[in-house]
Amino acid sequence: MGDWIVRRVTLLSTGMVLLLLLSGVSEAENWARFRGPDGKGISTQKGIPVSWTDKDYKWKTPLPGLGHSSPCVWGNHVFVTSALDRGAVRLVISVDAASGKVLWTDRLASRTHSKHSLNSYASGTPASDGKRVFVLFTTDEDTVVRAYDFAGKRLWQKKADYQSRPLINDKTIFAQGGAWDVRTGKVRPFPFKRSYGCGILAAGKRTLVYRSATLGYYDLKTQSGNEDFGGIRPGCWINAIPAGGMVLVPDGSAGCRCSYQNKT
């Protein structure tokens, strides 16, 4: 992909614009899911500017519809989602990172539904394993996870009662609501149920971490179910970050009237 950083801007009245920024770094890393590698929101790249002007952009590409999902980037491919007609049509779009050219667009018939006023009908960020890209959408009949190859060919589609963005761990794609083989879409055992909570699932090689009333964790090897580590309540957006053999947990209990250790 070279030395570029991709940024997506949602314009409420005129649709979306995908922007490519010359960042001055020597080699860009893949950003294969929401918040990047392992869901940490941490980039190893250096020299990324904290502000820029129009002259810093290599290209700008207008995209149809509205969407709040982040771009998924692998090599020279940028994948984004969008929606038209109040969610009646959902879009998966692939853009060439070097030129800004739209490589392919796939349209999914769907339906409108209630949502938060600050949300969109395309809020789930795609995920990729380097060979395929995966999206989660609500369609006419049900909610599905769909797989594409990088050329835009639909590989498989499965029903998915999902409540989180997709996460790929080895050869399995996970979401709150199911797990599937990345190659075939075959359903894999995943009896996951957290106490209650919000925000994304993050993972190390064998353990999921997330908010589940307190800090929740799930052993992917034993699949023994949800476990909770009491005394702290992660936040909804940045809830738990596995890094360097540790789990970093920004506390989200300040201001709550609850039994957690940190409160006002």
Side-chain angles (χ1 to χ4, degrees), residues 1-261:
M1 181 178 168
D3 54 353
W4 307 102
I5 296 296
V6 178
R7 183 174 178 86
R8 178 186 181 190
V9 176
T10 302
L11 305 176
L12 295 181
S13 59
T14 58
M16 300 185 302
V17 177
L18 192 66
L19 308 173
L20 196 67
L21 172 68
L22 177 61
S23 67
V25 298
S26 58
E27 184 177 356
E29 63 190 341
N30 296 316
W31 202 257
R33 57 160 293 188
F34 182 67
R35 292 183 56 78
D38 297 329
K40 299 174 185 176
I42 299 172
S43 173
T44 59
Q45 293 185 181
K46 307 296 182 182
I48 300 174
V50 295
S51 62
W52 51 83
T53 64
D54 285 347
K55 68 180 180 180
D56 297 311
Y57 296 120
K58 177 67 175 181
W59 52 255
K60 298 182 181 182
T61 298
L63 301 176
L66 297 173
H68 289 176
S69 59
S70 299
C72 168
V73 184
W74 195 289
N76 202 44
H77 299 268
V78 183
F79 304 101
V80 295
T81 61
S82 185
L84 299 168
D85 301 330
R86 298 182 63 244
V89 178
R90 314 295 172 96
L91 305 175
V92 183
I93 305 169
S94 174
V95 177
D96 181 87
S99 66
K101 177 183 177 181
V102 175
L103 300 175
W104 54 265
T105 302
D106 191 45
R107 300 166 68 95
L108 294 79
S110 188
R111 65 180 185 271
T112 189
H113 54 78
S114 61
K115 65 174 184 62
H116 193 281
S117 60
L118 299 179
N119 209 336
S120 75
Y121 293 100
S123 294
T125 298
S128 177
D129 65 351
K131 296 180 180 179
R132 295 156 286 253
V133 63
F134 308 91
V135 296
L136 290 155
F137 275 132
T138 298
T139 67
D140 287 333
E141 294 81 20
D142 48 35
T143 302
V144 299
V145 55
R146 178 176 285 187
Y148 300 86
D149 65 16
F150 277 21
K153 179 182 177 181
R154 298 182 190 179
L155 300 177
W156 53 263
Q157 178 174 304
K158 297 292 182 179
K159 184 176 180 180
D161 184 18
Y162 80 97
Q163 300 176 45
S164 67
R165 295 173 174 87
L167 177 155
I168 298 171
N169 192 311
D170 195 21
K171 302 300 182 182
T172 304
I173 178 169
F174 295 93
Q176 182 176 346
W180 306 267
D181 184 284
V182 296
R183 295 161 295 186
T184 66
K186 181 180 178 180
V187 175
R188 290 190 166 176
F190 185 49
F192 172 80
K193 184 178 181 180
R194 51 181 162 182
S195 300
Y196 70 86
C198 50
I200 67 170
L201 308 179
K205 186 175 182 179
R206 60 171 286 173
T207 306
L208 293 176
V209 290
Y210 42 85
R211 174 171 167 173
S212 177
T214 59
L215 171 62
Y217 59 95
Y218 183 98
D219 191 311
L220 293 171
K221 185 176 181 179
T222 64
Q223 300 232 2
S224 55
N226 175 73
E227 300 285 349
D228 291 324
F229 181 84
I232 188 171
R233 184 178 76 166
C236 274
W237 303 111
I238 305 175
N239 45 20
I241 304 169
M246 303 177 66
V247 178
L248 309 179
V249 186
D251 183 74
S253 59
C256 77
R257 300 190 179 190
C258 51
S259 61
Y260 299 104
Q261 294 174 348

